[in-house]
Amino acid sequence: MSTDSSDLFGALFQTPSANRTVAVLVPMPAPKPYSYSVPDGIAVEPGSVVQVPLGPRQVIGVVWDGGDEGVDPKKLRPISHVFDCPPLTKEMRDFIDWVASYTLSPPGLVARMALRAPNAFEPEPMVEGLRFVGGAPERMTPARARVLETGSGGLSWTRSGLAHAAGVSTSVVDGLVAQGIFETVFLPPPPVVAKPDPDFITSRLEGPQKDAAEEILAEVRKGEFAVSLIDGVTGSGKTEVYFEAIAETLRRGKQVLILLPEIALTASFLERFQDRFGAKPAEWHSDLPPRMREKVWRQAVTGEVRVVAGARSALFLPFEDLGLIIVDEEHDPAYKQEDRVFYNARDMAVVRARIGDFPVVLVSATPSVESQVNGQSGRYTTIHLPTRFGDAALPDLHLIDMRRHAPERGGFLSPVLVRAIGKTVEKKQQALLFLNRRGYAPLTLCRVCGHRFQCPQCSSWLVEHRFKRQLQCHQCGYSQHTPEACPECGTLDHLVACGPGVERIAEEVERHFPEARTIVLSSDIMGGVKRLRLELDAIAKGEADIVIGTQLVAKGHNFPLMTLVGIVDADLGLANGDPRAAERTFQLLSQVTGRAGRTGLKSHGLLQTYQPQHPVMQAIVSGDAGAFYEREIAERERAILPPFGRLASIIVSAETRHDAESHARGMRNAAPHVSGISVLGPAEAPLALVRGRHRFRLLVHGRRNSDMQGFLRALLAHSPKERGSVHVQLDIDPQSFL
């Protein structure tokens, strides 16, 4: 049968007809979805992941709820392609809309966070495999016999898997394939992780831990929205308790999300999970290779992955049937994203659980003030674990008054702390020195003319990194080689480092203990995350005597031989005007000192301070966290600060100081007059210059029941339009005031 060539040409290149329109949310800062036509023969529904034309480009989008039925489909550009992946659920779409509305962010930018793996939208390719079909080789060898014995059980194998299981090289398998004894088949792609078994081991919880697990399980079995806060001291078995909630959720056929502030560094958590469930959870974080991210995304949306452990961005994975969220270390500032879409993953996790009508569990040894208040008011169910698991005891904590026990000239460690380190090392145990300051010194200046090295693009000092022989800006990443002469006066060898960083403390430790094995842990060490994981593993195995680290060491690590923790500068976090300074300092120091004595060895914590009477210091050494929270909550309530009031930060930046200040003043003048809401500023931000851009801040303060979002929408609507280099950033519920 013949076909006219003109008919074939027309069939190939005709414009598809369309009979309806749909709204498509595209990943760009547009205020609402765009309308597109649906060609005949293409089936879409709300949540379908599609490709659409946008200007000269083809972009990925999501079919959204609603559509402009009043527009003639023939006047709209058609959808180009529908991807073969499950649609985003109504629950996920509602969550994206809620986050966009609350944070005043374009919904397309929020949806973009849920579509971070574009190569995962089509099914994974099948894997080539082998299946035994019978027969015998022309010549039998012991290697071939092992392959036949392994592969003749009716299962299909990959070539490498069969060779490995039989203990032979792949060439032996290839020889049998060539003789027709195995045939080629195609297998579904393997899962990124094996399915966890909720009954892999039997729970061995006792006493308070068992009671806490039963309380959590009661909420999980209801299968309804509820927020539980596990408030337990370090080492109290909080992880084992919420593992039971995970097990019950898996038995119910639901998926689980575990949020961790530093998942890339917590290899020990993954191992504990595997010990309990027989398989590791799937990981999701920025250091995951792109191909693995695509696999995890795809298998989460299809339901093959049952448990994901991830950083804050994992909250936007489109799970098929999510039934539980765990937020470990719920107080951690790392849950706050301050780029493009500003959100707090802890708070948004509670929102996602409410929309999905399933439980969420918050976990911390030092809960946030907001969570404490929610627990006291009955919004959250608080579960207390006041004692450590097993025979472990909390460390004995003592303050070192630096006014009475000053360091030797040029040093930063008190003689009291130095003696304690010496005794610890003699006993073949480990000491941890904590200083939340990277590099060698926070400031370098010239003794002759007083010149201070400052970042040319930011209003911050350059930090000396002596290991790298560099001066670095920790705001924008600018760096320069450490000079030998002052660039201002030209004097040689008169540059002096002011103040300590972890590298300088390491130098001092090596002077006191030259034979000790010392490790420095900091986020900017050479080798990145892989190196940090190796260092943490070495510490856990006892391959270091003295560990010197920044806040990385406070992230839930378990060091069995750690019996001494020394805080080099306990006052550091209190030296700014941040309204959360006391809370943050209490949390960080409590978490760090909690690294000691987790396996039952007698342990100590020593805090060097010039303010021994400060309420934070007294609360830590007395172990009276309740008194600290009571005082902090009362102060917040008196000042109408969160959670008793609401805050929103507006940062106006521009290439010139005049443009930034002028636009900020214009916004201030455009603010509507609303009872219960006030606008403070504008004023220069504490970091007034970042990456060459001048910054001014406005702070909006309202009562708890204030319509903050409505106020800000009205303010933005009447404010001057952003022109030239001016850019405005909104941060609802700010955590940082820099």
Side-chain angles (χ1 to χ4, degrees):
M1 187 173 103
S2 64
T3 303
D4 185 78
S5 61
S6 62
D7 292 340
L8 180 61
F9 185 90
L12 287 173
F13 293 97
Q14 66 181 346
T15 302
S17 61
N19 57 19
R20 68 186 182 103
T21 66
V22 292
V24 176
L25 192 59
V26 294
M28 61 171 289
K32 61 180 182 179
Y34 293 140
S35 294
Y36 287 89
S37 64
V38 183
D40 286 341
I42 289 183
V44 296
E45 61 180 293
S48 294
V49 181
V50 297
Q51 183 174 288
V52 294
L54 185 66
R57 300 177 296 142
Q58 292 286 329
V59 300
I60 292 167
V62 183
V63 176
W64 219 243
D65 302 271
D68 194 348
E69 300 298 335
V71 179
D72 184 353
K74 295 178 181 178
K75 296 181 180 180
L76 298 174
R77 301 177 78 178
I79 290 173
S80 309
H81 178 68
V82 181
F83 290 98
D84 185 10
C85 74
L88 269 59
T89 62
K90 179 69 165 62
E91 170 190 320
M92 188 66 194
R93 301 194 305 277
D94 288 347
F95 177 61
I96 290 171
D97 278 337
W98 198 98
V99 173
S101 176
Y102 186 83
T103 63
L104 299 182
S105 303
L109 290 186
V110 182
R112 183 173 178 268
M113 296 191 292
L115 302 173
R116 281 292 179 86
N119 291 333
F121 301 152
E122 297 285 10
E124 293 183 63
M126 300 289 278
V127 177
E128 187 176 301
L130 300 173
R131 184 170 58 203
F132 179 71
V133 294
E138 297 170 357
R139 184 173 61 87
M140 183 65 75
T141 65
R144 286 178 169 178
R146 291 200 300 273
V147 173
L148 292 176
E149 182 182 358
T150 304
S152 60
L155 299 176
S156 297
W157 297 78
T158 62
R159 181 177 275 98
S160 59
L162 178 57
H164 179 74
V168 302
S169 67
T170 54
S171 62
V172 177
V173 177
D174 291 338
L176 294 172
V177 173
Q179 295 184 41
I181 294 170
F182 287 90
E183 68 174 355
T184 299
V185 295
F186 288 93
L187 308 173
V192 291
V193 288
K195 284 192 176 181
D197 179 1
D199 301 307
F200 184 71
I201 64 168
T202 305
S203 170
R204 294 188 294 270
L205 297 179
E206 299 175 354
Q209 290 76 22
K210 186 175 182 180
D211 295 339
E214 287 298 328
E215 199 166 347
I216 292 287
L217 287 173
E219 298 292 353
V220 171
R221 287 170 182 144
K222 290 177 186 175
E224 301 171 350
F225 171 71
V227 186
S228 300
L229 171 65
I230 302 179
D231 177 4
V233 297
T234 55
S236 60
K238 297 184 294 296
T239 304
E240 285 72 18
V241 168
Y242 73 66
F243 275 176
E244 296 311 302
I246 293 172
E248 183 61 24
T249 304
L250 292 173
R251 292 186 194 104
R252 296 167 62 86
K254 301 282 188 176
Q255 292 170 291
V256 178
L257 170 61
I258 308 168
L259 293 179
L260 298 160
E262 294 287 351
I263 177 62
L265 299 178
T266 49
S268 60
F269 171 82
L270 302 178
E271 291 167 3
R272 289 172 70 183
F273 187 95
Q274 185 174 26
D275 290 343
R276 170 63 179 83
F277 295 98
K280 289 185 178 180
E283 295 181 55
W284 183 269
H285 51 80
S286 59
D287 290 298
L288 209 60
R291 186 75 186 105
M292 182 57 69
R293 285 175 68 87
E294 292 157 10
K295 284 177 171 287
V296 172
W297 191 97
R298 178 79 190 189
Q299 295 183 20
V301 77
T302 60
E304 293 171 81
V305 161
R306 307 310 298 168
V307 181
V308 173
R312 61 178 182 248
S313 59
L315 189 60
F316 291 89
L317 279 172
F319 290 90
E320 179 197 45
D321 191 12
L322 188 58
L324 176 68
I325 298 178
I326 306 289
V327 185
D328 206 347
E329 309 288 359
E330 63 89 28
H331 67 278
D332 200 290
Y335 284 124
K336 177 71 176 187
Q337 173 163 300
E338 296 177 330
D339 179 41
R340 288 179 178 256
V341 179
F342 286 58
Y343 69 92
N344 189 313
R346 176 200 65 210
D347 299 341
M348 296 304 106
V350 174
V351 171
R352 183 157 188 192
R354 176 177 284 281
I355 291 173
D357 197 24
F358 56 78
V360 59
V361 178
L362 311 181
V363 186
S364 179
T366 53
S368 62
V369 167
E370 287 85 350
S371 294
Q372 289 278 17
V373 172
N374 282 328
Q376 292 174 6
S377 65
R379 293 187 186 91
Y380 297 173
T381 299
T382 303
I383 300 168
H384 294 283
L385 289 172
T387 58
R388 282 190 161 181
F389 188 66
D391 298 326
L394 288 166
D396 293 331
L397 302 179
H398 302 280
L399 299 176
I400 299 176
D401 188 341
M402 298 295 279
R403 300 168 300 182
R404 297 175 54 197
H405 305 284
E408 63 184 35
R409 185 176 178 82
F412 299 93
L413 302 179
S414 163
V416 177
L417 181 54
V418 172
R419 285 194 297 271
I421 296 170
K423 292 178 181 178
T424 302
V425 173
E426 285 176 10
K427 291 188 289 186
K428 306 297 183 184
Q429 295 171 357
Q430 292 173 324
L432 168 65
L433 298 181
F434 170 78
L435 176 63
N436 202 20
R437 189 180 270 158
R438 293 178 285 159
Y440 184 84
L443 171 64
T444 301
L445 56 79
C446 174
R447 281 197 189 100
V448 176
C449 70
H451 172 75
R452 298 184 176 197
F453 286 83
Q454 184 172 349
C455 176
Q457 304 176 117
C458 303
S459 53
S460 59
W461 308 120
L462 292 178
V463 177
E464 181 181 357
H465 288 255
R466 192 158 292 189
F467 294 169
K468 300 178 182 178
R469 297 181 180 178
Q470 286 184 338
L471 297 174
Q472 293 184 355
C473 173
H474 287 172
Q475 299 302 323
C476 70
Y478 169 85
S479 66
Q480 67 180 62
H481 288 293
T482 306
E484 295 181 359
C486 173
E488 190 74 21
C489 67
T491 308
L492 284 166
D493 300 327
H494 274 71
L495 300 181
V496 60
C498 299
V502 286
E503 293 176 12
R504 194 169 192 178
I505 298 301
E507 189 177 83
E508 184 174 352
V509 165
E510 287 170 8
R511 285 202 309 269
H512 288 293
F513 308 101
E515 302 300 321
R517 299 168 297 174
T518 303
I519 285 181
V520 176
L521 285 181
S522 176
S523 60
D524 51 14
I525 67 171
M526 302 291 285
V529 169
K530 186 175 181 180
R531 165 83 179 275
L532 281 169
R533 279 188 165 182
L534 291 173
E535 300 279 36
L536 289 166
D537 188 50
I539 297 167
K541 292 177 180 176
E543 296 172 4
D545 301 313
I546 303 172
V547 180
I548 302 154
T550 61
Q551 63 179 350
L552 287 176
V553 300
K555 303 289 184 179
H557 309 297
N558 187 23
F559 304 134
L561 295 177
M562 191 75 66
T563 60
L564 174 67
V565 171
I567 309 297
V568 176
D569 187 351
D571 306 326
L572 185 59
L574 300 172
N576 60 56
D578 188 336
R580 289 189 173 88
E583 177 192 5
R584 290 268 172 79
T585 301
F586 173 78
Q587 290 166 340
L588 187 56
L589 298 186
S590 297
Q591 293 282 338
V592 174
T593 53
R595 296 311 103 205
R598 295 170 70 92
T599 55
L601 296 173
K602 180 69 174 176
S603 61
H604 303 274
L606 299 175
L607 291 77
Q608 296 189 159
T609 176
Y610 288 92
Q611 306 176 68
Q613 298 307 314
H614 193 286
V616 170
M617 303 304 157
Q618 291 298 314
I620 291 171
V621 296
S622 68
D624 191 355
F628 169 77
Y629 280 113
E630 183 179 347
R631 175 184 171 276
E632 190 70 12
I633 289 170
E635 288 192 3
R636 296 272 189 97
E637 188 170 18
R638 190 160 46 247
I640 320 178
L641 288 173
F644 304 100
R646 300 197 62 195
L647 294 176
S649 173
I650 304 174
I651 295 287
V652 180
S653 65
E655 291 176 359
T656 69
R657 187 181 187 280
H658 174 268
D659 286 349
E661 183 177 16
S662 175
H663 192 89
R665 291 194 181 282
M667 293 189 73
R668 174 66 181 84
N669 294 334
H673 297 286
V674 176
S675 176
I677 297 181
S678 58
V679 180
L680 308 176
E684 272 194 316
L687 287 173
L689 184 69
V690 174
R691 295 182 176 88
R693 295 182 63 83
H694 297 265
R695 306 166 76 242
F696 276 77
R697 283 182 72 245
L698 295 133
L699 189 65
V700 184
H701 178 228
R703 296 188 176 276
R704 183 169 186 163
N705 59 353
S706 301
D707 181 8
M708 183 65 73
Q709 280 77 5
F711 177 88
L712 291 170
R713 288 190 185 96
L715 186 153
L716 292 173
H718 294 92
S719 291
K721 301 301 180 187
E722 296 177 35
R723 302 185 189 280
S725 66
V726 172
H727 179 62
V728 176
Q729 280 184 337
L730 284 181
D731 184 1
I732 309 292
D733 305 330
Q735 297 290 308
S736 170
F737 293 85
L738 297 179

